């Protein structure tokens, strides 16, 4: 099982679960259970709990799934010789994890590994977001945004209901306690709705444009085949559109990655190799987590 032993990430993951469970407590025991409208309570209880369950399941899958780590320590002389490099072909070695970096892979200083198609490292899921777990991260942000919106709507209706009737009858808690719990939930839901909506939109844009967050920030010009927007979405979520896209328990239907996929890169001339080295040195200056050595054939 993949798990990153990072104190900050573990703390953020625990906080995430605590906030979701706090929202569950307020929604159930402050708003729904005391309500005399049983149909309203049952329907909203089922919807909210289902979304919360899917959000936490997506969070677990994003946290416990290998994001696409490159085999550690494979930059050995024997393995490089087995690739049978031809003139003009190069491989990149990461000195930090002693692995050969495939195309579009980046080294994460928290995971201490090179990650294929790494978008960013997210402390809230205590993991990198890469080609193997991006679907789960997108689902996590989507379901958190939905339960936040749902909670805000229910808080609004509950306040209106309590203003029209006696506050002592609209909750099993005292009026001051009820107000404090609802205000805290409202603040939490609003904050998470804004944050996760932005993250969801950013991730969907990255998938559709086939450009990771690191590539967008650094604008690295690496030779790679651009895939269409719909093809990129299918690769990220797994096959043609279906309900499995929204299911955190199904894996993206990605083909098995060959051991040498993206390891060998073609350089047409010495000037191109110098440009590659210059670009990588700039990356090393801007991001200490992505150092590179170039080994040519």
């Amino acid at each position: 099982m993949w798990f990153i032993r990072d104190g900050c990430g573990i703390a953020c993951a625990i906080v995430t679960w605590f906030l979701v469970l706090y929202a569950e407590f307020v929604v159930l025991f402050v708003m729904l259970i005391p309500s005399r409208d049983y149909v309203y309570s049952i329907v909203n209880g089922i919807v909210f709990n289902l979304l919360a369950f899917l959000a936490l399941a997506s969070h677990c899958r994003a946290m416990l799934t290998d994001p696409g780590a490159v085999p550690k320590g494979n930059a050995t002389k024997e393995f490089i010789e087995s690739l049978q490099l031809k003139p003009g072909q190069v491989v990149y070695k990461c000195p930090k994890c002693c692995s050969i970096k495939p195309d579009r892979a980046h080294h994460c200083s928290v995971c201490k590994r090179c990650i294929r198609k790494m978008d960013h490292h997210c402390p809230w899921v205590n993991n990198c977001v890469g080609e193997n777990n991006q679907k789960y991260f997108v689902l996590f942000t989507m379901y958190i945004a939905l339960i936040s919106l749902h909670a805000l709507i229910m808080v609004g209706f509950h306040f209106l209901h309590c203003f029209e009737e006696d506050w002592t009858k609209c909750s099993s808690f005292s009026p001051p306690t009820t107000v404090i719990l609802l205000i805290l939930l409202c603040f939490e839901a609003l904050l998470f709705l804004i944050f996760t909506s932005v993250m969801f939109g950013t991730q969907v844009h990255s998938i559709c444009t086939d450009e990771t967050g690191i590539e967008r920030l650094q604008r690295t010009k690496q030779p790679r085949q651009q895939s269409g927007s719909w093809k990129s979405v299918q690769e990220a979520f797994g096959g043609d559109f279906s309900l499995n896209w929204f299911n955190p328990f199904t894996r993206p239907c990605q083909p098995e990655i060959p051991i040498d996929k993206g390891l060998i890169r073609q350089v047409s001339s010495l000037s191109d190799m110098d440009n590659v080295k210059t670009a990588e040195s700039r990356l090393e200056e801007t991001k200490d987590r992505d150092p590179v050595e170039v080994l040519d054939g």
Side-chain angles (χ1 to χ4, degrees), residues 10 19 22 24 34 39 134 147 171 178 196 220 257 282 294:
I10 294 173
L19 292 175
Y22 170 78
E24 278 275 358
V39 175
Q134 191 171 28
I147 65 173
S171 176
T178 301
T196 54
T220 57
I257 300 175
R282 289 176 179 173
V294 181

Side-chain angles (χ1 to χ4, degrees), residues 32-82:
L32 296 183
I33 293 179
S35 175
R36 287 174 291 182
D37 190 341
Y38 298 111
V39 175
Y40 172 85
S41 298
I42 292 174
V43 171
N44 282 281
I46 292 175
V47 172
F48 188 86
N49 280 278
L50 177 62
L51 292 176
F53 171 76
L54 291 173
L56 294 179
S58 301
H59 182 270
C60 285
R61 293 304 301 270
M63 180 171 60
L64 302 177
T65 299
D66 180 352
V70 178
K72 198 171 185 178
N74 67 346
T76 61
K77 182 180 179 181
E78 293 77 11
F79 182 72
I80 294 175
E81 289 178 351
S82 69

